[in-house]
Amino acid sequence: MMQLLSGKALSKVIIEEVKEEVIALIAAGKKPPHLAAILVGNDGASETYVGHKVKMCEQVGFQSSLIRLAADISEAALLEEIAQLNNNPDIDGFIVQLPLPKHIDVDKVTLAIDYRKDVDGFHPINMGKMAQNMPCFLPATPYGIMQLLERNGVETSGKECVVIGRSNIVGTPMSILLSRNNQPGNCTVTLCHSRTKDLLAHTQRADILVVALGKAEFVTADMVKEGAVVIDVGITRVPDASKKRGYRLAGDVKFDEVAPKCSFITPVPGGVGPMTVTSLLMNTLKAAKNKISYQEEV
Ligand code: GUN
């Protein structure tokens, strides 16, 4: 029997948990967590994502600040904005929405963020801590996927896991998280990418298949083992004249033909997507609680 891993349903549960914690913080005389987001330019998808992040902050009782910067802002000016957020004691955590315009070096931006406020978990200090199983901020999408696996009781220990895609924000951290000696985790992980020879041979062996390459409907039924767990991270806008907005959202997996073979599968939309925002909320709450505990130490 195929079961849906619904991020839509789980995110509602987590949002309630976060709300409760905010109420408890305020009852203890603390201020609510405060997340800031920097949005450079006006890319359509980024606008949607950031708008959603801000809206969800309001829903759980966080403060939020959206900092909009022109697409032609200089790298130096963006780094200055980041320095201000690092030094602003009112801000618990912040993100710089990606992608950035080509004239800005994303590595410099990532390194400029104070790792204690890096609620996207992209800073190498957080990535390094993650790899060594130390407390840290996990990147939103991988954190959300781990929550989906854990809270739906998906067994991972000893499983063959194949990750397709090696991005810094999804594929690479997923491969690390699933291989760690943790629960979920303890998989034997293969990280496949554009230079992989015979991808089919790899995917057909996967007990858990994480697909994060950003190609609409790339994974077909023949690529998937009977009973596999399939996690679809893709969300691509495919032109569709029959839709009012002119596009439909497609995952990286051909859901209709793959789903019947699966033990668990995430739908698109409503699977991984909603979990990414809840991860950001969980990280921001953690950043605020960490800050309270530093302050109580001094
Ligand atoms: N662009 C796509 N995913 C993300 C994310 O998790 N965080 C940020 N800042 N930008 C993104």
Side-chain angles (χ1 to χ4, degrees):
M1 256 300 286
M2 183 273 288
Q3 276 181 267
L4 275 186
L5 289 173
S6 170
K8 198 173 162 187
L10 179 55
S11 66
K12 284 186 182 144
V13 173
I14 294 175
I15 283 164
E16 288 308 313
E17 294 172 0
V18 173
K19 265 190 202 168
E20 289 294 317
E21 292 222 38
V22 174
I23 290 167
L25 279 178
I26 291 168
K30 314 293 183 194
K31 72 169 194 65
H34 189 167
L35 174 74
I38 296 181
L39 176 59
V40 181
N42 34 32
D43 172 71
S46 291
E47 291 262 0
T48 308
Y49 296 146
V50 171
H52 192 53
K53 290 171 185 177
V54 168
K55 198 183 92 191
M56 295 309 295
C57 282
E58 283 165 20
Q59 244 193 61
V60 296
F62 289 3
Q63 287 178 275
S64 64
S65 299
L66 172 57
I67 298 157
R68 289 180 165 275
L69 302 172
D72 63 355
I73 189 174
S74 69
E75 185 181 276
L78 175 57
L79 294 174
E80 180 50 35
E81 290 284 345
I82 290 169
Q84 286 188 16
L85 293 174
N86 285 340
N87 294 325
N88 183 344
D90 194 49
I91 300 293
D92 296 297
F94 67 96
I95 64 161
V96 178
Q97 186 66 29
L98 304 180
L100 289 168
K102 287 197 173 52
H103 67 280
I104 293 172
D105 181 345
V106 66
D107 291 346
K108 275 193 194 164
V109 168
T110 303
L111 284 166
I113 298 170
D114 184 331
Y115 76 93
R116 292 164 298 186
K117 295 191 178 187
D118 171 36
V119 289
D120 258 335
F122 295 166
H123 193 287
I125 291 179
N126 282 314
M127 289 279 278
K129 287 183 171 186
M130 172 185 71
Q132 296 184 53
N133 225 341
M134 296 177 189
C136 63
F137 295 115
L138 296 182
T141 305
Y143 190 12
I145 294 169
M146 297 304 276
Q147 289 284 317
L148 272 174
L149 296 172
E150 183 175 9
R151 299 207 195 198
N152 286 284
V154 178
E155 183 58 69
T156 57
S157 184
K159 302 292 183 186
E160 292 290 332
C161 174
V162 171
V163 179
I164 310 179
R166 58 178 156 184
S167 71
N168 287 342
I169 68 178
V170 185
T172 296
M174 271 321 296
S175 71
I176 294 169
L177 287 169
L178 284 170
S179 62
R180 297 191 314 185
N181 183 2
N182 254 0
Q183 180 59 25
N186 280 321
C187 296
T188 304
V189 177
T190 305
L191 182 54
C192 296
H193 48 74
S194 53
R195 295 292 175 274
T196 297
K197 289 178 182 159
D198 203 359
L199 179 66
L200 183 67
H202 289 290
T203 64
Q204 283 178 336
R205 292 176 46 248
D207 300 313
I208 301 173
L209 182 60
V210 179
V211 194
L213 77 163
K215 284 196 178 157
E217 295 167 348
F218 178 84
V219 170
T220 46
D222 58 305
M223 296 169 74
V224 176
K225 179 171 152 179
E226 199 67 47
V229 177
V230 173
I231 307 292
D232 185 353
V233 184
I235 183 143
T236 309
R237 293 180 177 193
V238 177
D240 184 342
S242 75
K243 294 272 193 281
K244 213 189 288 172
R245 56 187 181 181
Y247 65 86
R248 67 185 171 90
L249 294 174
D252 285 354
V253 174
K254 255 193 183 144
F255 184 89
D256 291 347
E257 63 176 61
V258 170
K261 294 183 84 171
C262 296
S263 55
F264 293 94
I265 185 169
T266 60
V268 176
V272 173
M275 295 303 298
T276 64
V277 184
T278 55
S279 301
L280 183 64
L281 298 175
M282 288 192 286
N283 279 345
T284 304
L285 177 66
K286 181 173 174 172
K289 287 167 55 174
N290 286 348
K291 202 170 80 189
I292 291 166
S293 68
Y294 305 142
Q295 283 164 348
E296 283 171 358
E297 275 169 30
V298 268

